[in-house]
Amino acid sequence: MHDHRKLGRELGLFDTDPLIGSGLPYWLPDGATLRHALEEFIRTAERRAGYRHVYSPALGKRELYEISGHWSHYRDDMFPPMQLGGEQVLLRPSLCPHHAVMFRSRSHSYRELPLRMAELGGMYRAELSGVLGGLTRVRAIQLNDAHIFCTVDQVADEVAGALELIRSAHAAMGIRPTRYRLSLPGPGGKYVAAPELWQQSITMLTDVLDRSGLPYEAAEGEAAFYGPKIDIQFTDSAGREFTLSTVQVDFHQPEQFDLRYTGADGAEHRPVMVHRSIIGSVERAVAHLIEVHGGAFPAWLAPTQLVVLPVSAAESAPADALVERCLELGLRAEIADHELGSLGARIRQARLVPYQVVIGPKEVANDLVAVRLRDGQRLEPLPADELLSRITELIAAHSTLL
C-alpha cells in the first residue's frame, strides 16, 4: 500500500499549509474532482435507498449538546465555546443532535416511518497536534452521515439495509474491510446509564450480524457514549486499523429530545434512532482510496477518465473534437497535445488515466481510435462512438473494470 500523505501531494490531490493550520487540508482541483465524484455517488445511492437529504448548520448552542449528551460525555474532543452575546455557540462534533431537532420540528405518523434523513455535512473535532496526519486525522471533517427514525420492529431491517448499502459502496470503490466489529460499552463513566436499553440495542445488532453470516468480533470499550455500534474496520499503509463505516442503534437521544410519532393506536410513541455512515468521513475514505489504488482509481472516480493523444499536429483537430464529445457525455477528458513531448512520454505521463486514446493518420483515415488501458493492454481500433458508449456504461455502473 502507498502512503496517501506522500502520493496525494505528488498527484496534486490535496495539501496543507501552516498558515491555514494543522489538520486542515485543502483540496486541489484533481482532489476536489475525486471528492465530488465520491460524494455524488453516495448521494445517489442514498436517494435510491429511500433517504431524504437535508442541510444543517455546523454551529449549535451549547444547550443543544447538553441535551444530546455530547457536552457531558464528549467535551474533551470539542472545540471551546464561542461567546455570542448572552449565549455560547460551539462547532458541532456530530450531526445527530441537529437531525433529532429537525425530526422534532414536525409531527410524524407511523406511516412515515422509517424516515431516513441523510446529510454530507461538516463537523469538527479538537484533535491534538500529535495525532494529526494527512487526511486520516483532521480537525474539519466532511461526514457522510444519516439517521433513520423508526419503530422498534423496524430496527433490524434498517440495520441490515444499511449494511448492504455499505457493502455495495465498498465494492464500487474497490476496497475490502479488514473485519467487522461489534463495539460494546466498557467500564467507566463515559457511557449513558441505561442498562436495559443498552442490552436491547446490543441484542438487535447481534441478531442482525448473526443472520447476515458476517464474521465479527466483539470489542468492549469501543461503543459510542449513547449506544453500541457495528464498525467496519480497515487497515492503512502503516498497518493501523481504523473505522470507515458504521451502524449504530440509539435509544438515548430520542429520549433526550423527546422525539415522538403517532402510532396506529392514536397514541404517541418513542422512535428509535439508527445512526449510519456508508463511508464515514470523506477525508478518511479518500486517504484509503489513494493508498489502495496508488492513484489508479476506478474510472468513475478518476479525476481524468480519458486522455486523447494526437500523434502529430495534423491530428489535433479531430482530437479536440473527440474531447468535446466526451465532455458533452459528462466524461472527464483532456487532450495531451503533441507539443507536450513524444507519444511515449505522454503515455507515461498519463499512466494513471484509465483510458488513453491515440489518434494518428491511420485512425483519422478510417474514422477509428486506438485505445490503451492503463495496465498496458491495447484494444483493437474501434469507432469512437462505440468506445464512448462502452466507457459511459461502465462508469454509470460504477464498475471497477475497464
Side-chain angles (χ1 to χ4, degrees):
M1 295 176 69
H2 303 264
D3 185 335
H4 83 277
R5 295 169 298 180
K6 181 175 183 291
L7 186 58
R9 288 179 169 88
E10 290 175 356
L11 296 178
L13 301 178
F14 72 92
D15 213 329
T16 56
D17 192 287
L19 192 59
I20 295 176
S22 300
L24 300 170
Y26 57 83
W27 297 80
L28 296 164
D30 279 355
T33 299
L34 189 159
R35 171 175 164 169
H36 183 263
L38 182 61
E39 291 176 351
E40 284 306 299
F41 164 71
I42 293 298
R43 287 193 181 98
T44 300
E46 288 173 336
R47 283 194 297 269
R48 289 173 177 168
Y51 289 80
R52 305 287 298 277
H53 289 96
V54 298
Y55 289 106
S56 59
L59 293 168
K61 289 172 61 176
R62 172 174 162 174
E63 182 184 359
L64 174 67
Y65 306 108
E66 289 175 341
I67 294 172
S68 71
H70 285 83
W71 185 250
S72 58
H73 292 89
Y74 205 73
R75 187 186 319 174
D76 292 343
D77 294 302
M78 297 171 64
F79 280 95
M82 295 173 279
Q83 195 71 33
L84 290 178
E87 59 189 30
Q88 291 186 331
V89 178
L90 297 106
L91 287 167
R92 65 179 173 192
S94 177
L95 280 66
C96 45
H98 291 73
H99 289 186
V101 170
M102 293 167 78
F103 180 88
R104 191 179 67 178
S105 69
R106 303 286 187 274
S107 59
H108 298 281
S109 162
Y110 72 96
R111 294 185 180 90
E112 299 174 62
L113 306 185
L115 191 156
R116 306 180 184 101
M117 189 182 297
E119 181 175 3
L120 268 163
M123 67 179 198
Y124 302 84
R125 303 282 172 88
E127 300 278 13
L128 298 176
S129 297
V131 301
L132 297 172
L135 297 177
T136 54
R137 293 293 290 269
V138 295
R139 288 172 171 158
I141 302 165
Q142 192 73 8
L143 186 69
N144 158 234
D145 206 7
H147 298 94
I148 304 165
F149 301 91
C150 61
T151 69
V152 172
D153 293 340
Q154 292 170 334
V155 169
D157 286 343
E158 291 305 309
V159 170
L163 287 175
E164 178 56 29
L165 201 56
I166 290 168
R167 186 208 61 76
S168 178
H170 291 169
M173 294 161 68
I175 59 177
R176 292 184 179 181
T178 303
R179 66 183 178 119
Y180 286 76
R181 185 180 74 191
L182 177 61
S183 296
L184 305 173
K190 69 175 185 176
Y191 305 101
V192 297
E196 292 183 4
L197 295 181
W198 274 98
Q199 189 53 55
Q200 187 177 3
S201 53
I202 290 170
T203 299
M204 288 176 168
L205 291 180
T206 302
D207 288 347
V208 173
L209 283 169
D210 289 341
R211 287 203 309 272
S212 71
L214 293 169
Y216 67 93
E217 301 170 21
E220 290 189 359
E222 298 292 343
F225 72 84
Y226 48 76
K229 306 182 291 176
I230 297 172
D231 288 326
I232 294 89
Q233 303 295 103
F234 286 77
T235 304
D236 68 11
S237 61
R240 296 169 300 211
E241 190 177 271
F242 64 94
T243 302
L244 192 66
S245 312
T246 185
V247 186
Q248 310 167 15
V249 173
D250 181 4
F251 286 93
H252 172 70
Q253 291 190 71
E255 185 74 27
Q256 291 296 105
F257 286 99
D258 193 23
L259 304 186
R260 306 179 185 196
Y261 69 91
T262 303
D265 57 0
E268 291 187 329
H269 299 267
R270 187 81 69 209
V272 182
M273 198 170 171
V274 176
H275 304 237
R276 178 251 67 190
S277 185
I278 299 175
I279 60 166
S281 82
V282 173
E283 290 79 10
R284 184 170 283 182
V286 171
H288 194 60
L289 285 167
I290 294 170
E291 295 193 344
V292 168
H293 296 296
F297 304 108
W300 65 272
L301 275 172
T304 302
Q305 297 168 324
L306 183 147
V307 63
V308 181
L309 304 105
V311 172
S312 68
E315 292 81 40
S316 291
D320 285 333
L322 180 58
V323 169
E324 286 299 319
R325 289 166 68 184
C326 291
L327 297 177
E328 289 171 2
L329 291 170
L331 297 174
R332 297 187 289 273
E334 296 180 357
I335 186 168
D337 214 341
H338 69 286
E339 296 175 349
L340 298 176
S342 68
L343 180 61
R346 285 179 283 152
I347 288 174
R348 287 191 296 275
Q349 184 67 27
R351 65 191 181 282
L352 297 178
V353 177
Y355 302 99
Q356 303 159 8
V357 177
V358 178
I359 299 180
K362 186 186 300 183
E363 285 75 29
V364 172
N366 295 294
D367 197 22
L368 299 173
V369 291
V371 186
R372 294 174 57 99
L373 305 182
R374 66 178 164 214
D375 62 4
Q377 181 183 353
R378 300 188 186 192
L379 305 183
E380 290 293 326
L382 70 167
D385 287 342
E386 184 179 335
L387 171 68
L388 299 185
S389 176
R390 183 186 306 182
I391 292 173
T392 53
E393 285 180 10
L394 287 169
I395 288 173
H398 298 99
S399 174
T400 56
L401 303 175
L402 296 180

